[in-house]
Amino acid sequence: MSVLEQLIEALKRLPGVGQKSAQRMAYHLLQHDREGARSLALALQAAAEQIGHCQRCHTFSETPLCGICADPARDARLLCVVESPADQAALERSNSYKGYYFVLLGRISPLDGVGVRQIGATELLQRAAETAVEEVILATSFTAEGEATAHVLAEALRSRGIRVTRLARGVPVGSELEYVDLGTIAHALVDRR
């Protein structure tokens, strides 16, 4: 396999990138942005070597504790459970949550052989049992796997006397009802307050 073919194959590993997109990226970098290609290669190498997981919440971190877990100003009464570091980043960008996190690094998916052990449920239960934690917020996705994950975790947490809540779902801000899917409208009606 030529070096160019290796580059195209490597780019195809990115989500949503097929053969044509990978070729387009490779040709662009080689033809128009060699310096960008070098910068990208160095950044990827540094990230792969230097970024690990936070010992406390499992998000990406260059240090044993991420910046959020090391921040004493966060609200220790709240623990938000998310599926991935990307989900955590999205919640942080909202500037509306000031507690701590636990990143599952996945969700239950029996067809893929992913169960509660693989997503760190034992570590979550230990973390939620800390005396300061008063509420665990389940912020998993609203897919079938995300709902199953939330259900299993909620049952395990509640059986230990821990207060569990779930992210609300409903009509997006700024949307018009006629364009919202029927499942979202149905959930908004059931979960109205």
Side-chain angles (χ1 to χ4, degrees):
M1 188 180 293
S2 73
V3 174
L4 179 58
E5 291 169 332
Q6 289 176 28
L7 173 60
I8 292 168
E9 286 301 310
L11 290 169
K12 282 173 43 180
R13 296 180 77 139
L14 295 169
V17 177
Q19 181 71 28
K20 288 188 178 200
S21 294
Q23 282 178 328
R24 207 169 314 128
M25 287 184 230
Y27 292 151
H28 170 80
L29 288 168
L30 294 173
Q31 185 173 353
H32 300 292
D33 194 5
R34 292 256 175 171
E35 187 54 40
R38 287 184 194 91
S39 176
L40 177 62
L42 289 173
L44 284 170
Q45 183 174 0
E49 291 172 358
Q50 297 173 27
I51 296 176
H53 293 283
C54 173
Q55 293 173 352
R56 191 153 192 243
C57 76
H58 302 151
T59 196
F60 293 133
S61 180
E62 294 178 47
T63 56
L65 282 184
C66 69
I68 292 172
C69 286
D71 183 356
R74 302 293 291 211
D75 188 346
R77 297 171 300 164
L78 300 174
L79 182 64
C80 184
V81 179
V82 294
E83 293 177 9
S84 70
D87 294 339
Q88 178 191 8
L91 285 171
E92 279 298 292
R93 284 192 306 273
S94 76
N95 287 321
S96 59
Y97 177 72
K98 300 301 177 197
Y100 290 105
Y101 293 92
F102 187 89
V103 181
L104 296 172
L105 298 175
R107 57 184 168 224
I108 295 172
S109 178
L111 295 177
D112 297 321
V114 179
V116 290
R117 285 194 173 106
Q118 288 79 21
I119 62 169
T122 303
E123 294 94 337
L124 170 61
L125 293 174
Q126 290 170 349
R127 177 82 188 280
E130 293 176 3
T131 55
V133 175
E134 295 177 9
E135 177 184 359
V136 174
I137 303 164
L138 297 175
T140 57
S141 61
F142 291 105
T143 62
E145 293 91 354
E147 291 285 2
T149 302
H151 176 74
V152 168
L153 294 177
E155 291 296 315
L157 290 161
R158 285 187 185 116
S159 73
R160 288 166 172 76
I162 299 167
R163 181 174 181 242
V164 179
T165 58
R166 181 90 164 101
L167 282 185
R169 55 187 157 188
V171 179
V173 173
S175 64
E176 297 181 32
L177 281 181
E178 68 179 295
Y179 300 113
V180 176
D181 67 278
L182 299 178
T184 300
I185 291 173
H187 282 292
L189 282 169
V190 169
D191 297 336
R192 71 187 181 279
R193 47 182 166 123

